[in-house]
Amino acid sequence: AQSVTQLGSHVSVSEGALVLLRCNYSSSVPPYLFWYVQYPNQGLQLLLKYTSAATLVKGINGFEAEFKKSETSFHLTKPSAHMSDAAEYFCAVSFPTGNQFYFGTGTSLTVIP
Amino acid sequence: EAGVTQFPSHSVIEKGQTVTLRCDPISGHDNLYWYRRVMGKEIKFLLHFVKESKQDESGMPNNRFLAERTGGTYSTLKVQPAELEDSGVYFCASSQRGSPLHFGNGTRLTVT
């Protein structure tokens, strides 16, 4: 069975501090991994994706994520939080053999001035 | 290019009523998905169209939900009759094969 676990439904960081949002997956086959962001009253936007190329993936707005197979993780990081980063973040997994995407429960990020 | 559009953005209905949600995917995207998020929980898959055909409807909760995609363009999701537990945000997404999903802004459904 495939699943995605996001540790921490709410994360608060100070402006300028490191952002770390955790995502672990379980899969019996090599996955594709994604991070999506949802700003208030908007749809989900793709932040970045891993599709079996470089394990360190850079996305938009200064975010990056590293695929670690040994840890089955795909944590999202940003060196310095900005107020505009406040949003909900979703980790998702899909597979080359199919078209279905599986999402985590989401992590709400608050940035404190 | 125009993104995925969903209508309405909000809907408040009473238990037992019918609601129809609409999704217009990005032009040329054969894959169309419906997802639902109940408050505080994960985004759950409902079903997947490839053009006008239902590829996978394993996530549909029960037979009160009916999705269609006539002509392989826009899709509708009808809930009839609506129950309280149907409340949530319904997302539509579209994609080309092998590409990430492009999401609409969602329809927030409240059943009272």
Side-chain angles (χ1 to χ4, degrees), chain A:
Chain A
Q2 296 85 7
S3 72
V4 178
T5 302
Q6 290 183 242
L7 289 177
S9 57
H10 293 88
V11 170
S12 293
V13 300
S14 297
E15 190 174 16
L18 171 71
V19 176
L20 170 60
L21 305 182
R22 298 179 186 274
C23 173
N24 289 85
Y25 68 92
S26 65
S27 169
S28 54
V29 298
Y32 292 161
L33 294 158
F34 306 83
W35 276 98
Y36 282 85
V37 60
Q38 185 182 20
Y39 298 104
N41 301 314
Q42 295 186 28
L44 280 75
Q45 299 176 32
L46 180 67
L47 264 182
L48 49 79
K49 63 179 179 180
Y50 165 78
T51 55
S52 75
T55 56
L56 181 62
V57 181
K58 295 187 184 298
I60 62 172
N61 301 337
F63 283 94
E64 61 182 38
E66 186 172 8
F67 171 65
K68 291 187 177 180
K69 184 178 178 180
S70 61
E71 298 178 7
T72 61
S73 69
F74 191 58
H75 302 329
L76 182 71
T77 60
K78 181 173 180 177
S80 176
H82 192 273
M83 296 299 293
S84 61
D85 295 327
E88 190 150 23
Y89 293 79
F90 294 90
C91 183
V93 61
S94 73
F95 305 93
T97 53
N99 281 300
Q100 195 173 131
F101 286 70
Y102 301 87
F103 287 86
T105 52
T107 297
S108 178
L109 176 66
T110 300
V111 181
I112 303 165

Side-chain angles (χ1 to χ4, degrees), chain B residues 90-103:
Chain B
Y90 290 76
F91 291 104
C92 176
S94 71
S95 75
Q96 297 281 40
R97 181 170 177 79
S99 72
L101 299 179
H102 297 262
F103 281 84

Side-chain angles (χ1 to χ4, degrees), chain B residues 7 14 16 27 39-40 44 48 52 58 64 94 97 106 112:
Chain B
F7 181 83
E14 293 183 354
S27 178
M39 187 184 298
K44 279 197 146 180
H48 169 213
E52 67 275 10
S58 61
R64 294 186 294 103
S94 71
R97 181 170 177 79
T112 62

